[in-house]
Amino acid sequence: MNMAPIGVLAQQYCHKQLPLTVLRSGAGFYIGTMDAGEPCSRESVEYFFHREQAEFALKQGHWTQRQSL
C-alpha cells in the first residue's frame, strides 16, 4: 500500500517532485508520473486492465510502490 502524493522514483532518479497520476502503456494502465507532457516514471508494480481500476487503486492507496527502475 502506498499513500505518497509524489513519485518516489521520479524524485530519486530525476530529482523532481511530480504528482502521481494514471498513465497507459502497451501493457495496461499504471500509476506513474509525467514531466513536460511525457511519462517520467512508472511507480506501480501493478498494471491494471482498466483506467478506473488504476484510478481507484491510486485514490485508495491500494497499489505497490516499485523500489527501483
Side-chain angles (χ1 to χ4, degrees), residues 20-23 29-33 41-44 46 48 54-55 57-58 62-63:
L20 296 173
T21 190
V22 173
L23 301 171
F29 294 93
Y30 63 95
I31 297 167
T33 62
S41 65
R42 178 168 65 92
E43 301 285 334
S44 65
E46 302 87 355
F48 303 88
E55 289 171 349
L58 177 57
H62 295 149
W63 59 281

Side-chain angles (χ1 to χ4, degrees), residues 7-60:
V8 172
L9 297 178
Q11 187 172 24
Q12 182 178 356
Y13 292 101
C14 302
H15 309 289
K16 296 185 179 188
Q17 292 189 356
L18 301 171
L20 296 173
T21 190
V22 173
L23 301 171
R24 184 177 189 173
S25 74
F29 294 93
Y30 63 95
I31 297 167
T33 62
M34 300 225 8
D35 185 31
E38 296 291 325
C40 180
S41 65
R42 178 168 65 92
E43 301 285 334
S44 65
V45 169
E46 302 87 355
Y47 282 100
F48 303 88
F49 289 112
H50 303 286
R51 176 177 294 280
E52 295 79 13
Q53 292 172 314
E55 289 171 349
F56 183 79
L58 177 57
K59 183 178 180 180
Q60 297 297 314

